[in-house]
Structures are given as structure tokens and as C-alpha cells.
Amino acid sequence: MASSLITALTVTTPHAIGAPALITDGEHNGLLHALAKVPDPRDPRGIRYPLAAVLAVAVCAVIAGASSFAAITDWLHDLDEHARNRLGFGNAVPASTTMWRLLIRLDPTLLAAVLAGWLHTRTDPPGPPPRRYRRVIAIDGKTLRGARLGDGRQVHLMSALDTATGIVLAQVTVDTKSNEITSFAPLLDAVETVLGTLAGVLFIADALHTQTRHADEVTIRQAHLLVQVKGNQPTLFKQLKRLPWAQIPVGDRTRDRGHGRRETRTVKAVTVATPGGITFPHAQQAVRITRTRIIAGRSSRETAYLTVSLPAGQALPRDLQTWIRRHWHIENRLHHVRDVTFREDQHQARTGTGPAVIATLRNTAIGWHRTTGATNIARATRQANRRSNDLITAVTSSYPRTQ
């Protein structure tokens, strides 16, 4: 491709990017109030335990480290009468089978939206947002290795993580007869339900989502997309690889050291100068990132190519460097924690929507601890378990919001 099709990225004065509109509900709602929005799948006749109470116990128990439906019930039974009353129970509490039968009948996507909305409204902005503020949401899927359906197939979930707050804004179950590609638009819809608007939001996804339809879906919602390009898009990959990168100056370089290795990450970016520059809709810039690692004296080099729908003035190389690394948050700060702290891959939930429901509860627990400033989730769950009354007070409180 001729170099005339592109222009080297130059430092420009960026336009100020405003923070998203603040929540205007007027108050932070307590958990019981939020859970009242979840429809009860039971026949109204003969209901003994309020659905909101059952769900509140499930959320609190998982925040305190419960990793299974049985553990949720055990946590409830260990509470004193006063604590149970505060969560909405009377003199009696449900048995383990009762809790399980109810939880596996819930709509996991709706439950995820309600809980994400609850966490989102309780997250105060930490002061005025930076001048170049942008909400960055990482998208990735995860297979629940211990959970299988009746026909033996595994359950696969796709999540959208707010990389700034650590809150999973949405989670959808991937159709077992399809893959993540068909679940992308429903996930965007779920995120939009929680945030109210996607205008200005940047979504980061892996190469599987380098799809023309995905770029269109994001752009229609006035959002932006940053995706890696690999061999699943051979024409686009060749176009990016053949750009005159040697003529393009380095935009940003970082060096890290730790865990016995040294890593240098170099970012170059170019603005596409003509509509025919690269064959991917809405792409404003082509990006190349080179990672050089030295481990035990041995050096390795890896090159990745990406496209982003933001223009150069709104996505400088140092921004791209930061955003690309944030995509790892969903693996390191969410999926890894679910596996290690909550032993997700060992949990053999197989009935109804149970696998997705318990995963949603784990996402909520991790998001709760992230918003309270915890960096070690395992330690935070142990502390919550020791201070169950403090936990119940925190999650059930409603207090005025400072605008």
C-alpha cells in the first residue's frame, strides 16, 4: 500500500472529553430496594419467602466468600435472628433446596442488569474527572469448565467490564449453537440499559470481534471500538502489516520490570487518510504495538495490529497504550479471581440458569469489593464474612446522593 494513503500521527491538542452524565435518581438505593425489580418466577400462591430477601442473602453470602448454592444457605443459617430480619426474613428461613430451586429459575441477564445498576448508582465519581476522561469497557468471554448442560455442552458467558470501577456492567449467555459473535449486540444493549447511553464509550475486544457488523453496531450507538486484528480477517491483517511502519515515528514507549522479566512496549499509530486506506468500517487509526520481553536472559518479540474508531486528537499513542493494557483487566481482575478465589471451574452447576446466576453473583461480589477499594479480593471476602453485620448494613443502606 502506498504511503500516500496514510499520514503519520502527530501530537495535536486534544478536545476535552466530558464525563458521562451522573446518575440522577437522587439517592443510592439499598440492595433490597434494587432487587424488588427482579420478577418472581414463582406462583404467587403459597410464597413463604420474599424473592428480594433470597437474592439479598445470595449477594451478601457471595460477597462473604460463598462459592456454591449450598454455601449461600449455610451463610444464611449462621446469621442471628436480627441479621436475618434486616435482610427481609421472618422467623423461618428457607432450606438449601428451596434456595437452589428458586435461584436456578431466574433470568440471569435481567439479574445481572439489576445488580450492575445497583453497583453503578453506588459508585461516586472520585472527584472531577480528568480532562481527557473516557469510559473504557473491556469485552471477553469465559467458559465455565465445571458447568455442563443436559446434553454435555459447556456454558459460555460473555461479560462487559468497566475497567475504571471493576464493575461488570452486563453479562449474557452465549447460545450453545453459536459463538460470541452473535451475542455482541445483545451485550451492548445490556450495557446501554445500565448506563442509559453509550455515547463516547470505548469498547475493547479481542480479534474475534473484528467484525464489520460489530463496528456498525457500536457506531450506531455513538460509541467507539478498539479491536485487535489477526488471521481471522486476512485481508485487513495484510493491509495493516504492509503499512510503512518503519517510516512512522514511535508514539509511546513504556518499560516494565517485575516477576523476573523486563518488558518494553512500543506503540505506533497512523491516521487513515482515505476511505480505501483499510477495509474496516469506521476505522480512524491503524495501530501497531510491539512487545519485547527478556526473561532469564532470553529475548522474545511480539507484534500486534489493531484498529480504533477514534481520531488522533482523541486517542493519542499514550492513550492507546493504556487502553490496550486495560483489556487484560477482564482476565486478570475478573475471570482469574472467579477461578481462584471462588473456585468457579470446580463448581458443577448444571441445572436451569444456575451456572449463569452464580457467575452473576460472583461478578457482583468482585465489583462490590473493587468499589470499596479492595485489591485482594480473597482477603476482602474473609473480612466480609467475619463482619457480616457490617456487610448487611453497607449493602442495605440508602442515603442521599451528593450532586
Side-chain angles (χ1 to χ4, degrees):
M1 180 178 293
S3 59
S4 61
L5 291 179
I6 58 172
T7 304
L9 186 68
T10 57
V11 178
T12 58
T13 303
H15 299 290
I17 302 174
L22 296 176
I23 301 298
T24 58
D25 293 339
E27 66 171 11
H28 289 300
N29 290 321
L31 180 60
L32 289 169
H33 179 93
L35 292 174
K37 302 174 185 177
V38 180
D40 197 327
R42 298 171 293 181
D43 189 316
R45 296 171 296 180
I47 291 180
R48 296 184 61 189
Y49 310 107
L51 176 61
V54 172
L55 290 175
V57 164
V59 171
C60 289
V62 179
I63 289 176
S67 58
S68 67
F69 292 117
I72 291 172
T73 309
D74 290 344
W75 190 84
L76 169 61
H77 288 186
D78 288 340
L79 296 177
D80 58 36
E81 183 178 356
H82 176 65
R84 295 174 186 173
N85 291 340
R86 294 172 66 198
L87 288 172
F89 289 100
N91 296 327
V93 293
S96 177
T97 52
T98 302
M99 294 276 288
W100 173 74
R101 289 192 186 107
L102 177 54
L103 292 174
I104 64 171
R105 295 174 60 191
L106 298 175
D107 181 336
T109 302
L110 178 58
L111 178 63
V114 170
L115 290 174
W118 169 66
L119 283 177
H120 178 63
T121 60
R122 295 180 70 91
T123 306
D124 283 316
R131 180 167 169 266
R132 291 178 56 76
Y133 176 90
R134 185 173 297 280
R135 187 187 298 276
V136 179
I137 297 176
I139 293 178
D140 198 14
K142 183 180 187 297
T143 298
L144 309 185
R145 301 186 185 279
R148 295 184 181 274
L149 303 176
D151 58 6
R153 287 178 294 180
Q154 292 179 311
V155 177
H156 191 82
L157 305 173
M158 189 161 69
S159 306
L161 175 74
D162 186 330
T163 59
T165 63
I167 296 174
V168 175
L169 296 174
Q171 178 178 270
V172 296
T173 302
V174 177
D175 190 336
T176 56
K177 297 181 180 180
S178 184
N179 56 31
E180 291 184 17
I181 294 175
T182 58
S183 299
F184 189 82
L187 186 68
L188 294 183
D189 292 338
V191 174
E192 190 169 19
T193 298
V194 174
L195 297 181
T197 178
L198 297 183
V201 173
L202 176 66
F203 289 94
I204 311 176
D206 58 26
L208 178 65
H209 298 288
T210 309
Q211 307 288 333
T212 298
R213 183 173 297 179
H214 289 7
D216 291 338
E217 290 280 359
V218 169
T219 303
I220 288 173
R221 294 168 171 82
Q222 301 179 43
H224 302 280
L225 184 64
L226 172 61
V227 286
Q228 187 171 355
V229 180
K230 290 185 177 180
N232 62 322
Q233 295 287 349
T235 301
L236 178 59
F237 182 73
K238 290 179 181 178
Q239 288 177 336
L240 293 177
K241 194 173 181 179
R242 291 174 179 172
L243 292 177
W245 294 107
Q247 304 172 27
I248 300 167
V250 172
D252 189 65
R253 178 180 285 121
T254 61
R255 293 181 174 88
D256 294 318
R257 183 190 296 263
H259 303 287
R261 71 179 182 185
R262 289 178 293 166
E263 181 177 86
T264 302
R265 299 166 60 90
T266 304
V267 173
K268 293 184 175 183
V270 293
T271 300
V272 180
T274 68
I278 57 175
T279 56
F280 193 68
H282 315 293
Q284 294 286 330
Q285 296 187 77
V287 183
R288 190 185 79 169
I289 181 166
T290 304
R291 306 178 185 92
T292 303
R293 295 186 181 94
I294 300 177
I295 303 175
R298 292 189 174 185
S299 179
S300 63
R301 183 185 179 93
E302 176 184 302
T303 301
Y305 299 94
L306 306 95
T307 68
V308 63
S309 60
L310 282 165
Q314 299 181 35
L316 299 176
R318 65 175 179 270
D319 299 323
L320 296 169
Q321 178 93 266
T322 300
W323 297 337
I324 291 168
R325 300 197 73 172
R326 281 195 188 183
H327 186 251
W328 288 100
H329 286 195
I330 196 168
E331 177 62 35
N332 298 336
R333 301 187 182 185
L334 179 67
H335 295 165
H336 180 73
V337 176
R338 277 164 48 179
D339 284 338
V340 175
T341 302
F342 293 100
R343 301 186 293 279
E344 181 167 81
D345 281 348
Q346 299 176 34
H347 187 212
Q348 298 182 358
R350 297 169 181 251
T351 309
T353 60
V357 167
I358 194 75
T360 296
L361 295 173
R362 291 170 185 140
N363 290 340
T364 304
I366 295 169
W368 169 267
H369 289 308
R370 296 289 185 205
T371 59
T372 59
T375 55
N376 186 320
I377 304 301
R379 182 184 297 125
T381 59
R382 293 192 296 269
Q383 183 181 67
N385 190 44
R386 292 193 304 269
R387 304 175 180 177
S388 57
N389 283 308
D390 291 344
L391 171 62
I392 293 171
T393 298
V395 301
T396 58
S397 63
S398 295
Y399 52 95
R401 182 185 179 89
T402 301
Q403 295 291 345

